[in-house]
Amino acid sequence: IICVGACQPEKKEILFPKTDLASVPLIPKPIKTVATHSAFGLDSNTVIYTSTQDPAFEKVGQFLSEKIKGKIGLDLAVNDNNSGKLERLIYINQSDSADLETPESYQLYVQKDTIFVNAKTAAGAFRGIQTLRQLIPEKSNDTLTDHPLWLIPTGKIVDAPKFEYRGAMLDVARHFFTVDEVKKYIDILAYYKYNTIHLHLSDDQGWRIEIKSWPKLTEVGAKTEVGGGEGGFYTQEQYKDIVQYAEDRHMTVIPEIDMPGHSNAASLSYPFLNGNGKSLKPYTGTRVGFSTFDAQKDTVYSFLDDVIGEIAAITPGPYFHAGGDESHVTKKNDYILFVEKVEKLVQKHGKKMIGWNEIAQANLDPSSVAQLWNESHSAIKAAENGLKVILSPSERTYVDMKYDSISEYGLTWAGLIPVDVAYNWNPETYVEGLPRESIIGIEAPLWSETISNSAELEYLAFPRVIGIAELGWSPAEHCNWEEYKQRLAQQVPYLNQMEVNYYPSPLIDWK
Ligand code: TNX
């Protein structure tokens, strides 16, 4: 017998199958899970309530309601005092409990009639509801009743991120990606608890963001991309729209303008910027390291003051990424001078600078951050100078590398990266000599020389970025390939629902 709603107490015997919270294929795996083997029956009488003090909590409740509707079709009211009997309740609660140690920590208690999501901040509640989304089965238990119930296993989850920074980078310069394509990527990243999306907005092949004080950057510099396609750019309004979409998912956008190298598109637009002495032509190939800004000219720095200022003004996050990689035609002294001056400009506009690991050659402020991609010794040097480090070791996290010899897209210079290689490493100990306290987190860069639309992006990103999400969030002792690959196999319903063109790696027994 199953009783819903108006059952008499004496008849209230609910024969739910035994559940096991600990065997739901959650990714990233939470710190602690305790199963109590009963079930919360999510149904049309369920309502969502949130702590009312903070409107950001209500938005988290609305986000959950929308995603539940998208997944199983149920339309749950949020903070609606007229919605009846409060039979089954999801309560998203602001809590100052000392157990919630970081802003993104959360606790999830699933009881028979009530689910509590406790968090100190709305960001923590947002991470918590991603776990809850993953606990909701695709199928209702409609063999028992014509009133469908989606059974959520009861128990308790206590969770917090390993790293404060969990990023994915998208190169929209080599090939342009539309606002909708970027949003789709962000939405999937949020499901796996990423909190940062880094947009590589300029390179030799194209300039991708409107700068009102220097209009030729987009009139000229945005019209090209790898392979000769039409390129494109985001207006400032479109960029703000992406920032808002990310913010709604408690994700930070980090804009990157790559310099002094990787700057052909900018110099083509304004030739006074050019410092390599050669004549300028649009570039649609995939070589690197041939362009540079002129580090000796004051006008270059006033240009950059405007560019950084305009972008900083529409970027709420704390960082501005100034690139700094592969400046092979910039003299070493010029490079150092340039990076140090750009750091000051970034700070003038209220941001902290991030740069690729080459920036460690300069004398930088400890508020700046070095992003390791190819030289461990640079990351160690940066840490010795008090900088924090983001880990993106190319042989593990470069999801633009091919998976294997039959991969359709991707490059190979950092090696082939099958799904297990991208997962099987420990960021906390990977770089020998780099102190744990210096590491703020990890990032998976997706360079776009070989990809130009969502389907191709997804082929390279998925499933590898899902594993990197777990490495960024879960304690090392929970990261085990043999066990992880079973959970990964069970992401198929979600990936199918999102119409994600993931690479069906033969290493995984896909469900
Ligand atoms: C190296 S990684 C680059 C990029 C390329 C990438 C291709 C880095 C900081 N620079 O310019 O797109 O390799 O994998």
Side-chain angles (χ1 to χ4, degrees), residues 29-207:
K29 197 177 173 86
I31 293 182
K32 188 173 157 202
T33 305
V34 181
T36 52
H37 307 292
S38 184
F40 174 99
L42 181 66
D43 70 350
S44 54
N45 295 330
T46 306
V47 291
I48 299 174
Y49 270 84
T50 71
S51 300
T52 44
Q53 266 68 344
D54 183 349
F57 274 73
E58 179 159 301
K59 278 185 83 175
V60 173
Q62 267 145 4
F63 187 92
L64 177 63
S65 175
E66 279 159 33
K67 293 299 184 184
I68 289 176
K69 186 157 188 219
K71 180 167 182 172
I72 59 174
L74 279 184
D75 202 352
L76 306 188
V78 181
N79 292 345
D80 175 0
N81 290 325
N82 302 320
S83 68
K85 293 172 278 194
L86 294 191
E87 274 169 61
R88 261 175 284 279
L89 171 66
I90 298 173
Y91 187 55
I92 302 174
N93 175 37
Q94 199 281 325
S95 156
D96 287 316
S97 157
D99 299 342
L100 298 161
E101 283 173 16
T102 78
E104 292 179 291
S105 301
Y106 70 90
Q107 300 158 336
L108 185 63
Y109 295 105
V110 182
Q111 300 170 353
K112 279 192 213 161
D113 300 312
T114 310
I115 294 177
F116 293 95
V117 181
N118 293 325
K120 204 173 263 180
T121 70
F126 189 83
R127 304 301 166 230
I129 65 157
Q130 305 318 310
T131 303
L132 180 51
R133 287 172 68 192
Q134 296 190 10
L135 293 177
I136 300 171
E138 270 73 32
K139 288 212 174 68
S140 64
N141 198 345
D142 50 11
T143 51
L144 294 177
T145 171
D146 55 7
H147 176 89
L149 289 167
W150 284 260
L151 299 185
I152 300 180
T154 54
K156 170 177 167 182
I157 289 175
V158 177
D159 205 7
K162 176 164 73 193
F163 292 120
E164 69 182 75
Y165 183 107
R166 304 176 307 281
M169 187 209 83
L170 181 61
D171 172 8
V172 296
R174 270 50 177 275
H175 283 101
F176 181 65
F177 290 82
T178 64
V179 171
D180 284 343
E181 287 171 328
V182 174
K183 284 182 176 175
K184 183 179 178 193
Y185 194 38
I186 289 174
D187 195 42
I188 303 167
L189 294 168
Y191 184 75
Y192 293 107
K193 300 189 173 70
Y194 276 89
N195 65 5
T196 303
I197 175 82
H198 162 189
L199 295 174
H200 183 76
L201 290 168
S202 73
D203 214 300
D204 291 316
Q205 298 87 346
W207 182 281

Side-chain angles (χ1 to χ4, degrees), residues 171 174 200 203 256 258 262 288 325-326 356 358 373 394 398 400-401 411 413 445 447-449:
D171 172 8
R174 270 50 177 275
H200 183 76
D203 214 300
E256 176 184 354
D258 202 350
H262 290 277
V288 298
D325 58 314
E326 298 175 318
W356 297 103
E358 288 93 325
W373 69 282
S394 50
Y398 267 39
D400 64 313
M401 293 298 124
L411 300 174
W413 68 263
W447 302 97
S448 63
E449 284 91 337

Side-chain angles (χ1 to χ4, degrees), residues 231-368:
F233 68 95
Y234 309 120
T235 63
Q236 293 198 0
E237 285 308 308
Q238 288 174 319
Y239 175 83
K240 285 194 237 170
D241 183 30
I242 294 173
V243 166
Q244 184 61 52
Y245 189 85
E247 206 165 88
D248 290 344
R249 285 152 184 76
H250 293 272
M251 287 175 69
T252 303
V253 172
I254 298 184
E256 176 184 354
I257 297 298
D258 202 350
M259 52 188 149
H262 290 277
S263 53
N264 189 72
S267 293
L268 186 70
S269 313
Y270 292 103
F272 76 88
L273 297 167
N274 182 26
N276 81 355
K278 303 217 175 102
S279 71
L280 294 156
K281 294 190 279 309
Y283 186 66
T284 60
T286 61
R287 278 187 304 117
V288 298
F290 59 88
S291 57
T292 184
F293 285 155
D294 188 336
Q296 297 290 341
K297 270 194 209 148
D298 289 345
T299 46
V300 168
Y301 299 103
S302 26
F303 164 84
L304 291 174
D305 193 3
D306 293 340
V307 168
I308 296 167
E310 284 196 33
I311 296 175
I314 53 175
T315 301
Y319 295 114
F320 180 92
H321 200 306
D325 58 314
E326 298 175 318
S327 294
H328 302 324
V329 295
T330 318
K331 291 197 192 87
K332 183 167 179 184
N333 287 344
D334 278 353
Y335 178 84
I336 291 172
L337 170 78
F338 183 88
V339 172
E340 290 172 2
K341 284 192 162 229
V342 166
E343 184 195 53
K344 297 285 170 305
L345 290 175
V346 170
Q347 291 175 346
K348 171 181 162 191
H349 293 291
K351 303 294 175 193
K352 299 179 193 175
M353 184 177 79
I354 307 181
W356 297 103
N357 54 215
E358 288 93 325
I359 65 162
Q361 299 167 74
N363 184 9
L364 297 172
D365 188 83
S367 66
S368 295

Side-chain angles (χ1 to χ4, degrees), residues 483-502:
E483 187 269 335
Y484 166 74
K485 76 177 186 190
Q486 318 276 342
R487 282 182 285 128
L488 178 57
Q490 295 175 76
Q491 303 306 304
V492 168
Y494 171 72
L495 295 173
N496 284 346
Q497 192 196 357
M498 294 297 292
E499 298 180 358
V500 173
N501 180 42
Y502 63 96

